[in-house]
């Protein structure tokens, strides 16, 4: 943390701040320039983040300098993490492709979709059983019945299963059925839920909250990891901006930045990111080109008939084409990585 | 919902859309102009919100027209709702003033603060026992012990107690100790939690999520109300914008807009809104002047020593002055309300 | 500027950064802690802001610490600035009330409005002659003819005139007719225009760009002032956020923050801020309560007939009521200022 | 435009709105459903956009339905536009690569860079002669001298020249020297400037304002085109969001969306988009993968010595590698376009 003093700060102001810091057991270091005085504050991160000198006389502002995440940081874990689900290695040499309907609607339906997406190259099946809906009057998902259907689809196809869990009390139940526990964007800072999935040994797909900074996202990964579960997969799914033409603004900048800061694998979700199937394939390609290790997309045999999120679902032909383009783009990006020592 | 067709849409495109809508049991009405064709879609709200025609040929965009909230809407409940906590009526003729420390730190400390804020005019005491922290390494609150201290402070002063609950499994426990259950900004769309507090008979202080629209906020109120608990108090506490000088951007525009849309009482939280005690009093005044029915602020006898959020806490003298200004501003605004028939 | 090094930075990385900084004639100071190394960079502001070490090995990020504005800063000018236009002192003991139609529509019309708003307490008349319109097909204003009508309205009523100038080549022309040159939000970083109005001796009403930080806003004031014109009046008029219910988000937080950073007077424009006349009066009151020294609002005798911006225009009765509420709120806030030594 | 009435609107409210609309020469069409009444308003776009019924009794909100742009719209110009500059076709079969320093610093320097970027595959040279700087104390560019150096670089290499023009009065001067007039992000709604470049026959590179919607961007293109200049090249360069890790948020979603709405060619500027050279190459690849027809990037032989924007400039080796990756990604994306009839 750095304390920046105002140009009008007096020597007494500076001394008061130094004293308060020392009383907190911290080690403040003064740097005085012609125009500006700054105080570097060293000490354990937790203490430093709780500093309350911002409103003292002569203080202009506090500037944090430490990344507050450790287990998720590449500083302490330079190599990429890979996470194995069934036969598939997330973060490995193949791009991860996760596909399926927004909501599980029927046993037959989900098995048919599973066969279809597997044929086109998906390694994991997604499907909502417990659904977060902004309206209490919208369809809330089939619940455990949906999980049973997903498990049957795994049995029929061998695909791993990804499904969302929304509350700590249901983690155990959902974990019985799925291979990857999804934390949705609205729950990215549901800390009780993060701790609960951190106490399982399942892989966790952690979506970025739609108004959360990359730092907060990595801190949420840290919550899961600090409970003992290192298997966190990050997923960018769009942030909120002033633009209304797209449902969200898929923030692909997050891919290279997070890969610089962290060793965890990262995917993109263009379906929620743009909210319109017309733009899903170009954004899936762009995500892979930016360096993402895979995609998660919504697929439905007949989007106009889907119970939820039909507007952003690909049909099966569109999905097959997207999967091909994703694989070819990934192969191209991989071919660059040996030659990019200058970058 | 309105379906806007592209200017290049063919008659066949229009027919296909009409047909899909009719198959869903909806009642589409066509309006064709010189430049534009629009299709008004009437039917039950839930069905209409699930429409999946956005990606059909010839469709430019879908435009929602219904407010999806009912119980929270002023349309069906024209008069202001008031909520009584102990002796105090929230949304009544007096402004509500809720004050207290970010975290409960000790029994003695919380009782001292309670006496002090009561003396300056607060009717309710706030204090965190279970704390949402973006870092797993930060102080997480005293838990149930903190709730016990709050209950003792109520006994000592008669002040009602407001404290946050973060997970469905703890609602029963927290409800035993407090008078108002707070839902924090990060949990505004934690639907399991909303349902859980909706099944209690406690008042619920529902903070606006920092990236949630006013409509989503009222939908979250609807979640609580649709479970049978009508006692929802809204609280604006700042949204995320590009501006970095303030911690958040306290969105006072939300006060008159939400009062136009809904009958529920609404407060402002300038402490979290601006994040710096220097700006809390002017923003508290402004909140009341915009029409808010009260404020909730963080107070600490010695902000530089607070365990959390010291930068935004008022000291006791600052709080006394703020409370006075809030009351006088409220009296002034009340005096206008009889004369504003032109507005 | 502070250079924050990564925890994995080597001693050689640190040395390289120090060397580059010294080569630029700067004076880097090293602070090494257990977890983090930071380099404070001292020197003339202009040089420091051009630093290009962000992508060097071992560098995590650069953190600016200086306010880049000088003439606009309260650090070097502790007392509030007042600006006199005709008989009226902006930033003085009376709140400034500027009112008038979005566009000047006719000679008679503008004179009628001028009389009406003067009667209700306005000291200055606003009206658009050159209009910034997002569509080339929208009404672009009456141009010089509109300015002539405004000048006639001044003659008839004694009100000072505020009107927008949109290009450097027209500054001289507009300055012949008006008392206050308005720089619109879209032109806040039109640097050629800022310099041009800086070379006049007219007061300048500088609106905040809808996506500009407070720092950039004060830098734009600095552009005007550095050309020799100290008479800058700031005006908050709403920023862009994800919220769609209001046209913009009027950011009242900016009032106390900018007053802390700068000595310049500051007004609020609730008409553009919220975009709906229903919410203009409460937001005008809230602006004054937050500390603003006045308001600028759109007024039209028959808003439903206005050539532009009718949705956000007050009619004459609504304006009279708003002006009264603004004055009374201002009187109340003034009464607090002698008692707020604790704040 | 659609007028949505409140559920509590009376028949008289509805009649009043219909009447005002008819008085304006518009043709309102009523649709009444069980829950909601909507009024579709048909008529010339200009008139409809000026509607002022939003604050009438019973009105909930206005919903625009028309795209306000015509010349820029794909509705009236289904085929992609190509723009030829020298030998190079922008929007053609080859990706456009524009490269050069933020500021022109010296004659020798710019000629050296021009040779280098040409060798690596650039077809156009960029360089700032008139620079928009947020501080009046920052280097403002060499002015006409810089333009002369750019012209010399063209003579030496054959590369076309792109440079920014910041005020209407300088359009003629800048147009004498350059092949493409750049409109910077801060000037995207400088309407006088847009009209001035619209009256030249030079290609115009129109950057998206950092807080402007895609619709406003296309309206600004419409300004240029409506003056008679059809040669507009769009350029996405990042928008403002709450995220602070990147300088801006490069919004690649805009690429497929704008290509759906408009026939104009579109490029991406990853240098300004992310603001750190470390992330420029992955974002350039991602831009091309999303469908952009080229990139514009900042290049400097020694970024740490650049007079401005060094942090985001590639060095010559990095640029050569980026250009190669951009070409190969473009080739791959082109190969998909014949197979994407399903999309």
């Amino acid at each position: 943390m750095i304390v920046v003093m105002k140009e009008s700060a007096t020597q007494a102001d500076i001394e008061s701040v130094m004293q308060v810091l020392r009383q907190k057991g911290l080690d403040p270091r003064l740097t005085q320039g012609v125009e500006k005085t700054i105080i570097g504050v060293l000490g354990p991160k937790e203490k430093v983040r709780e500093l309350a000198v911002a409103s003292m006389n002569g203080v202009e502002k506090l500037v944090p300098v430490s990344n507050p995440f450790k287990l998720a940081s590449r500083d302490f874990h330079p190599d990429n993490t890979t996470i194995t689900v069934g036969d598939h290695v997330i973060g490995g040499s193949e791009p991860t492709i996760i596909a399926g309907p927004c909501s599980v609607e029927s046993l037959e339906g989900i098995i048919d979709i599973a066969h279809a997406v597997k044929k086109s190259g998906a390694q994991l099946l997604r499907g909502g059983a417990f659904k977060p809906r902004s309206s209490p009057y919208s369809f809330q998902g089939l619940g455990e019945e949906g999980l049973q259907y997903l498990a049957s689809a795994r049995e029929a196809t061998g695909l791993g299963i990804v499904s969302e869990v929304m509350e700590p009390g249901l983690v155990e139940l959902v974990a019985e059925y799925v291979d990857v526990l999804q934390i949705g964007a609205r729950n990215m800072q549901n800390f009780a839920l993060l701790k609960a999935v951190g106490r399982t040994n399942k892989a966790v797909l952690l979506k970025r909250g739609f108004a959360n900074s990359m730092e907060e996202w990595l801190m949420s990964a840290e919550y899961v990891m600090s409970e003992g579960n290192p298997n966190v997969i990050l997923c960018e799914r769009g942030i909120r901006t002033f633009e209304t033409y797209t449902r969200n603004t898929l923030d692909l900048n997050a891919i290279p930045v997070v890969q610089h800061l962290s060793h965890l694998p990262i995917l993109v979700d263009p379906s929620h990111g743009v909210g319109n199937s017309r733009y899903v394939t170009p954004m899936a390609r762009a995500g892979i080109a930016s360096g993402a290790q895979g995609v998660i997309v919504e697929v439905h045999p007949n989007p106009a008939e889907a119970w939820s999120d039909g507007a952003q679902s690909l049909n099966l032909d569109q999905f097959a084409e997207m999967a091909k383009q994703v694989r070819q783009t990934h192969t191209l990006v991989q071919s660059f990585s040996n030659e990019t020592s200058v970058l």
Side-chain angles (χ1 to χ4, degrees), chain A:
Chain A
M1 179 70 73
I2 290 156
V3 182
V4 181
M5 302 300 293
K6 291 201 268 192
E7 305 192 22
S8 60
T10 63
Q11 206 54 38
D13 292 339
I14 295 170
E15 266 314 302
S16 300
V17 172
M18 297 286 284
Q19 197 177 332
V20 164
L21 295 172
R22 283 195 207 98
Q23 280 167 2
K24 297 215 157 194
L26 298 165
D27 176 17
R29 309 273 182 92
L30 195 66
T31 305
Q32 286 184 292
V34 181
E35 298 187 329
K36 214 78 194 176
T37 295
I38 60 178
I39 303 172
V41 186
L42 306 169
K45 285 176 182 175
E46 307 82 85
K47 265 195 189 168
V48 170
R49 288 177 73 81
E50 302 290 345
L51 276 183
V53 297
S55 52
M56 290 182 71
N57 279 339
V59 173
E60 186 170 305
K61 59 177 169 180
L62 303 192
V63 179
V65 296
S66 282
N67 284 334
F69 43 87
K70 271 195 158 64
L71 300 171
S73 169
R74 198 178 276 282
D75 276 346
F76 306 105
H77 187 307
D79 294 331
N80 281 348
T81 284
T82 58
I83 296 172
T84 301
V85 178
D87 294 341
H88 177 62
V89 180
I90 297 169
S93 57
E94 294 286 308
T96 297
I97 301 179
I98 307 175
C102 177
S103 305
V104 178
E105 298 172 2
S106 71
L107 176 59
E108 241 181 22
I110 194 69
I111 289 180
D112 285 354
I113 295 176
H115 279 299
V117 300
K118 184 182 184 182
K119 198 178 141 202
S120 298
Q123 304 98 351
L124 292 104
L125 176 69
R126 59 148 290 154
F130 295 95
K131 300 291 308 168
R133 305 307 300 270
S134 50
S135 166
Y137 311 122
S138 296
F139 172 57
Q140 310 269 321
L142 294 178
E144 186 169 1
E145 192 185 347
L147 294 174
Q148 289 164 346
Y149 295 170
L150 286 166
S152 301
R154 175 174 47 203
E155 217 168 300
T157 61
L159 292 176
I161 300 298
V162 181
S163 197
E164 179 163 353
V165 60
M166 288 168 60
E167 45 182 315
L170 291 175
V171 168
E172 207 175 330
L173 175 75
V174 179
E176 270 177 46
Y177 291 97
V178 308
D179 302 283
V180 180
L181 291 162
Q182 179 177 314
I183 303 292
R186 288 172 188 77
N187 281 318
M188 196 204 85
Q189 293 194 312
N190 182 336
F191 302 118
L193 183 61
L194 295 174
K195 287 180 188 169
V197 300
R199 289 188 292 264
T200 73
N201 60 357
K202 292 282 174 184
V204 174
L205 184 75
L206 179 64
K207 292 205 165 183
R208 180 182 182 185
F210 51 64
N212 286 109
S213 68
M214 301 182 206
E215 183 177 303
E216 289 169 332
W217 191 14
L218 290 170
M219 284 310 294
S220 287
E222 192 85 7
Y223 257 97
V224 178
M225 298 170 86
S226 68
E227 294 288 330
N229 184 347
N231 299 311
V232 177
I233 306 151
L234 301 168
C235 179
E236 162 64 33
R237 49 74 78 203
I239 59 174
R240 287 231 163 141
T241 68
F242 60 84
E243 179 61 59
T244 56
Y245 218 97
T246 44
R247 178 165 162 184
N248 293 289
T249 296
L250 189 68
D251 179 10
L252 294 183
N253 308 272
I255 308 302
V257 173
V258 166
Q259 286 178 332
H260 177 70
L261 297 172
S262 176
H263 52 90
L264 296 170
I266 186 165
L267 312 181
V268 294
D269 174 351
S271 305
H272 288 87
V274 292
N276 185 322
S277 59
R278 199 178 267 143
Y279 309 122
V280 166
T281 296
M283 294 313 288
R285 286 193 314 248
I288 297 296
S290 74
Q293 285 133 329
V295 298
I296 176 167
V297 292
E298 292 192 349
V299 174
H300 194 279
N302 187 351
E305 296 292 325
W307 293 8
S308 55
D309 272 356
Q312 65 196 37
S313 295
L314 298 177
N315 67 29
L316 298 174
D317 285 349
Q318 291 166 332
F319 172 68
E321 177 64 26
M322 186 220 70
K324 188 196 72 182
Q325 296 189 11
V326 158
R327 281 192 303 273
Q328 293 188 19
T329 306
H330 190 263
T331 301
L332 180 66
V333 173
Q334 293 282 93
S335 78
F336 295 143
S337 61
N338 302 318
E339 310 158 29
T340 51
S341 55
V342 295
L343 298 180

